Amino acid sequence: ITWMQETSLHTWLAENPSWFVYPLTLALHSLGMGIIVGMNVAISLRILGAVPALPLAPLARFFPIVWLGLTVNALSGVGLTFTDPEKLRNWILWIKFSCLALALVTFRLLRAEVFRNPDLDKGPLSLRGKVLAGASILFWAGTIWGGRFSAYPELFGS
């Protein structure tokens, strides 16, 4: 934490007098989150049976957009962490990171289980695929909850 606070990145992000730097970083993080979570939840809901007339196979085209959103989120998240590295002491933030890691692993497993099936859209989806879709929604919700509530450590005794 001390090392982070002594970097020029911390100084530029946390002490910049411009109203533009921190809000832009936060906006990019929100945009990336909207892309990642929105696409994952939409795909997961479809796997769980929402909009059954919509074929699943074409949704695979959105995976590169999800990875773009993840890249934006990773870069802006590092920036936000450097802005206030003391937040790394907050246990709620670690819940966010844990849920994020589980959500990303689930996303990879879901892609392998559902979208690499050559008979996709020709029959019922596997129970494992549906369980992964439900878990994906749960983990993304935990990621959002942890990120949002890490800003209020006083509510949780942190």
Side-chain angles (χ1 to χ4, degrees):
I1 291 173
T2 302
W3 168 81
M4 292 174 83
Q5 291 172 329
E6 293 172 353
T7 64
S8 57
L9 180 60
H10 168 79
T11 303
W12 183 69
L13 287 168
E15 300 173 19
N16 196 313
S18 170
W19 60 269
F20 190 68
V21 174
Y22 181 79
L24 178 62
T25 305
L26 193 57
L28 287 171
H29 200 67
S30 298
L31 179 65
M33 180 178 52
I35 291 169
I36 296 169
V37 176
M39 299 302 273
N40 270 280
V41 169
I43 291 168
S44 293
L45 287 173
R46 173 56 192 90
I47 291 168
L48 290 171
V51 196
L54 177 67
L56 265 169
L59 295 179
R61 290 187 222 145
F62 289 109
F63 291 146
I65 297 170
V66 171
W67 292 115
L68 174 66
L70 177 63
T71 302
V72 168
N73 247 40
L75 294 173
S76 60
V78 167
L80 291 172
T81 302
F82 269 83
T83 300
D84 187 7
E86 285 291 328
K87 282 188 178 179
L88 290 172
R89 298 183 195 276
N90 185 342
W91 64 271
I92 298 168
L93 190 64
W94 291 98
I95 290 175
K96 171 194 173 169
F97 292 150
S98 298
C99 286
L100 175 61
L102 290 168
L104 293 173
V105 167
T106 303
F107 178 65
R108 298 281 304 212
L109 292 172
L110 186 68
R111 185 175 183 185
E113 175 69 25
V114 175
F115 288 90
R116 294 204 176 120
N117 179 352
D119 295 326
L120 183 62
D121 293 324
K122 293 180 182 174
L125 295 171
S126 69
L127 177 61
R128 184 169 188 246
K130 291 182 178 188
V131 168
L132 287 168
S136 177
I137 293 171
L138 180 69
F139 293 141
W140 285 116
T143 302
I144 292 170
W145 179 88
R148 191 61 235 132
F149 282 96
S150 67
Y152 307 102
E154 65 278 0
L155 294 176
F156 300 94
S158 294

